Short mmCIF file of all heavy atoms in Angstrom, two decimals:
data_model
loop_
_atom_site.label_atom_id
_atom_site.label_comp_id
_atom_site.label_asym_id
_atom_site.label_seq_id
_atom_site.Cartn_x
_atom_site.Cartn_y
_atom_site.Cartn_z
N CYS A 992 -3.27 -27.17 6.10
CA CYS A 992 -3.87 -27.34 4.73
C CYS A 992 -4.54 -26.10 4.25
O CYS A 992 -5.72 -25.82 4.56
CB CYS A 992 -4.81 -28.56 4.88
SG CYS A 992 -5.59 -29.02 3.36
N ILE A 993 -3.77 -25.33 3.56
CA ILE A 993 -4.37 -24.07 2.97
C ILE A 993 -3.63 -23.71 1.65
O ILE A 993 -2.65 -24.38 1.22
CB ILE A 993 -4.07 -22.88 3.81
CG1 ILE A 993 -2.60 -22.68 4.21
CG2 ILE A 993 -4.94 -22.97 5.15
CD1 ILE A 993 -2.30 -21.34 4.88
N ASP A 994 -4.18 -22.90 0.89
CA ASP A 994 -3.49 -22.37 -0.24
C ASP A 994 -2.42 -21.28 0.08
O ASP A 994 -2.68 -20.56 1.11
CB ASP A 994 -4.60 -21.72 -1.18
CG ASP A 994 -4.01 -21.27 -2.67
OD1 ASP A 994 -2.95 -20.51 -2.69
OD2 ASP A 994 -4.54 -21.82 -3.63
N ALA A 995 -1.34 -21.24 -0.53
CA ALA A 995 -0.20 -20.43 -0.15
C ALA A 995 -0.64 -18.92 -0.19
O ALA A 995 -0.15 -18.07 0.65
CB ALA A 995 0.96 -20.59 -1.09
N ILE A 996 -1.58 -18.52 -1.03
CA ILE A 996 -2.02 -17.10 -1.07
C ILE A 996 -2.62 -16.64 0.22
O ILE A 996 -2.71 -15.48 0.44
CB ILE A 996 -2.93 -16.87 -2.22
CG1 ILE A 996 -3.04 -15.43 -2.70
CG2 ILE A 996 -4.37 -17.40 -1.92
CD1 ILE A 996 -1.68 -14.89 -3.27
N GLU A 997 -2.95 -17.60 1.07
CA GLU A 997 -3.56 -17.29 2.33
C GLU A 997 -2.65 -17.09 3.57
O GLU A 997 -3.10 -16.81 4.64
CB GLU A 997 -4.69 -18.34 2.69
CG GLU A 997 -5.85 -18.49 1.73
CD GLU A 997 -6.76 -19.60 2.04
OE1 GLU A 997 -6.96 -19.80 3.39
OE2 GLU A 997 -7.23 -20.32 1.22
N LEU A 998 -1.46 -17.21 3.31
CA LEU A 998 -0.35 -17.27 4.33
C LEU A 998 -0.31 -16.00 5.24
O LEU A 998 -0.13 -16.09 6.31
CB LEU A 998 1.08 -17.53 3.70
CG LEU A 998 1.24 -18.87 3.25
CD1 LEU A 998 2.60 -19.01 2.48
CD2 LEU A 998 1.25 -19.96 4.32
N GLY A 999 -0.70 -14.91 4.49
CA GLY A 999 -0.66 -13.62 5.32
C GLY A 999 -1.76 -13.59 6.46
O GLY A 999 -1.70 -12.79 7.25
N ASN A 1000 -2.78 -14.42 6.25
CA ASN A 1000 -3.79 -14.51 7.23
C ASN A 1000 -3.55 -15.48 8.40
O ASN A 1000 -4.34 -15.50 9.35
CB ASN A 1000 -5.07 -14.95 6.50
CG ASN A 1000 -5.60 -13.96 5.50
OD1 ASN A 1000 -5.50 -12.81 5.62
ND2 ASN A 1000 -6.24 -14.62 4.44
N VAL A 1001 -2.48 -16.17 8.20
CA VAL A 1001 -2.12 -17.27 9.12
C VAL A 1001 -0.86 -17.01 10.03
O VAL A 1001 -0.83 -17.35 11.15
CB VAL A 1001 -1.86 -18.69 8.28
CG1 VAL A 1001 -1.38 -19.74 9.22
CG2 VAL A 1001 -3.15 -19.06 7.67
N PHE A 1002 0.06 -16.27 9.32
CA PHE A 1002 1.45 -15.98 10.05
C PHE A 1002 1.51 -14.40 10.09
O PHE A 1002 1.15 -13.79 9.21
CB PHE A 1002 2.52 -16.62 9.36
CG PHE A 1002 2.43 -18.04 9.38
CD1 PHE A 1002 2.21 -18.73 8.17
CD2 PHE A 1002 2.80 -18.85 10.49
CE1 PHE A 1002 2.16 -20.06 8.07
CE2 PHE A 1002 2.70 -20.22 10.44
CZ PHE A 1002 2.33 -20.86 9.21
N GLU A 1003 2.31 -13.94 11.08
CA GLU A 1003 2.60 -12.59 11.10
C GLU A 1003 4.04 -12.43 11.71
O GLU A 1003 4.34 -12.59 12.85
CB GLU A 1003 1.67 -11.79 12.02
CG GLU A 1003 1.90 -10.35 12.15
CD GLU A 1003 0.91 -9.53 12.94
OE1 GLU A 1003 0.04 -10.19 13.54
OE2 GLU A 1003 0.96 -8.29 12.97
N LYS A 1004 5.02 -12.25 10.84
CA LYS A 1004 6.42 -11.86 11.18
C LYS A 1004 6.89 -12.93 12.14
O LYS A 1004 7.45 -12.67 13.14
CB LYS A 1004 6.59 -10.60 11.64
CG LYS A 1004 6.17 -9.41 10.70
CD LYS A 1004 6.60 -8.04 11.18
CE LYS A 1004 6.19 -6.98 10.20
NZ LYS A 1004 6.76 -7.12 8.88
N GLU A 1005 6.78 -14.22 11.66
CA GLU A 1005 7.43 -15.32 12.50
C GLU A 1005 8.08 -16.42 11.75
O GLU A 1005 8.39 -17.44 12.34
CB GLU A 1005 6.25 -15.89 13.42
CG GLU A 1005 4.97 -16.26 12.63
CD GLU A 1005 3.69 -16.40 13.47
OE1 GLU A 1005 3.82 -16.80 14.65
OE2 GLU A 1005 2.67 -15.98 13.10
N ILE A 1006 8.26 -16.30 10.47
CA ILE A 1006 8.88 -17.33 9.72
C ILE A 1006 10.42 -16.86 9.39
O ILE A 1006 10.67 -15.71 8.94
CB ILE A 1006 8.21 -17.60 8.42
CG1 ILE A 1006 6.69 -18.03 8.60
CG2 ILE A 1006 8.89 -18.57 7.45
CD1 ILE A 1006 6.60 -19.23 9.46
N GLU A 1007 11.34 -17.80 9.53
CA GLU A 1007 12.73 -17.53 9.23
C GLU A 1007 13.13 -17.85 7.90
O GLU A 1007 13.90 -17.09 7.20
CB GLU A 1007 13.63 -18.17 10.32
CG GLU A 1007 15.09 -17.90 10.06
CD GLU A 1007 15.92 -18.63 11.02
OE1 GLU A 1007 16.15 -19.90 10.70
OE2 GLU A 1007 16.53 -18.20 12.06
N THR A 1008 12.67 -18.98 7.41
CA THR A 1008 13.03 -19.52 6.09
C THR A 1008 11.82 -20.11 5.45
O THR A 1008 11.11 -20.79 5.99
CB THR A 1008 14.17 -20.49 6.22
OG1 THR A 1008 15.24 -19.93 6.83
CG2 THR A 1008 14.63 -21.08 4.82
N ILE A 1009 11.80 -19.86 4.03
CA ILE A 1009 10.77 -20.53 3.30
C ILE A 1009 11.40 -21.42 2.26
O ILE A 1009 12.33 -21.10 1.59
CB ILE A 1009 9.97 -19.49 2.49
CG1 ILE A 1009 9.01 -18.83 3.39
CG2 ILE A 1009 9.10 -20.23 1.39
CD1 ILE A 1009 8.14 -17.59 2.70
N TYR A 1010 10.91 -22.74 2.11
CA TYR A 1010 11.41 -23.64 1.17
C TYR A 1010 10.33 -23.82 0.06
O TYR A 1010 9.12 -24.13 0.32
CB TYR A 1010 11.59 -25.02 1.86
CG TYR A 1010 12.62 -25.10 2.90
CD1 TYR A 1010 12.26 -25.04 4.21
CD2 TYR A 1010 14.08 -25.00 2.65
CE1 TYR A 1010 13.21 -25.00 5.28
CE2 TYR A 1010 14.87 -25.11 3.70
CZ TYR A 1010 14.54 -25.11 5.03
OH TYR A 1010 15.48 -25.03 5.99
N LEU A 1011 10.73 -23.71 -1.15
CA LEU A 1011 9.91 -23.97 -2.39
C LEU A 1011 10.53 -25.15 -3.03
O LEU A 1011 11.46 -25.08 -3.83
CB LEU A 1011 9.77 -22.78 -3.22
CG LEU A 1011 9.31 -21.40 -2.56
CD1 LEU A 1011 9.44 -20.29 -3.46
CD2 LEU A 1011 7.94 -21.60 -2.05
N ASN A 1012 10.04 -26.32 -2.89
CA ASN A 1012 10.57 -27.52 -3.56
C ASN A 1012 9.62 -28.07 -4.64
O ASN A 1012 8.62 -28.49 -4.39
CB ASN A 1012 10.63 -28.63 -2.47
CG ASN A 1012 11.78 -28.21 -1.44
OD1 ASN A 1012 12.81 -27.65 -1.69
ND2 ASN A 1012 11.46 -28.56 -0.10
N PHE A 1013 10.21 -28.04 -5.79
CA PHE A 1013 9.45 -28.62 -6.97
C PHE A 1013 8.11 -28.17 -7.05
O PHE A 1013 7.15 -28.91 -7.30
CB PHE A 1013 9.58 -30.22 -6.95
CG PHE A 1013 11.08 -30.59 -6.84
CD1 PHE A 1013 11.72 -30.78 -5.73
CD2 PHE A 1013 11.85 -30.78 -8.09
CE1 PHE A 1013 13.08 -31.15 -5.69
CE2 PHE A 1013 13.11 -31.15 -8.07
CZ PHE A 1013 13.82 -31.36 -6.79
N SER A 1014 7.91 -26.87 -7.06
CA SER A 1014 6.68 -26.24 -7.11
C SER A 1014 6.15 -26.33 -8.58
O SER A 1014 6.85 -26.58 -9.49
CB SER A 1014 6.80 -24.69 -6.83
OG SER A 1014 7.36 -24.55 -5.57
N ASP A 1015 4.79 -26.24 -8.71
CA ASP A 1015 4.25 -26.24 -9.99
C ASP A 1015 4.90 -25.12 -10.83
O ASP A 1015 4.77 -24.02 -10.49
CB ASP A 1015 2.77 -26.03 -9.94
CG ASP A 1015 1.96 -26.33 -11.23
OD1 ASP A 1015 2.58 -26.15 -12.33
OD2 ASP A 1015 0.79 -26.77 -11.16
N PRO A 1016 5.37 -25.45 -11.99
CA PRO A 1016 6.10 -24.41 -12.79
C PRO A 1016 5.10 -23.48 -13.57
O PRO A 1016 5.59 -22.41 -14.10
CB PRO A 1016 6.90 -25.18 -13.83
CG PRO A 1016 6.18 -26.48 -14.01
CD PRO A 1016 5.59 -26.79 -12.60
N TRP A 1017 3.97 -23.87 -13.66
CA TRP A 1017 2.95 -22.97 -14.50
C TRP A 1017 3.69 -22.40 -15.67
O TRP A 1017 3.93 -21.20 -15.82
CB TRP A 1017 2.47 -21.81 -13.65
CG TRP A 1017 1.55 -22.28 -12.50
CD1 TRP A 1017 1.92 -22.46 -11.18
CD2 TRP A 1017 0.28 -22.82 -12.55
NE1 TRP A 1017 0.86 -22.83 -10.34
CE2 TRP A 1017 -0.22 -23.13 -11.22
CE3 TRP A 1017 -0.62 -22.98 -13.67
CZ2 TRP A 1017 -1.46 -23.66 -10.98
CZ3 TRP A 1017 -1.97 -23.47 -13.31
CH2 TRP A 1017 -2.31 -23.87 -12.03
N PRO A 1018 4.02 -23.26 -16.74
CA PRO A 1018 4.81 -22.83 -17.84
C PRO A 1018 4.25 -21.90 -18.80
O PRO A 1018 5.07 -21.12 -19.45
CB PRO A 1018 5.05 -24.26 -18.53
CG PRO A 1018 4.00 -25.04 -18.22
CD PRO A 1018 3.56 -24.65 -16.82
#
C-alpha cells in the first residue's frame, strides 16, 4: 500500500514486467 511515485524506494532492479490497468487518465 503505497503511492507509485515511491516505488524507487521499495524496489531495486528486480521487476520484470509492469502492468498499468485502467489507470486514472488525468485528462
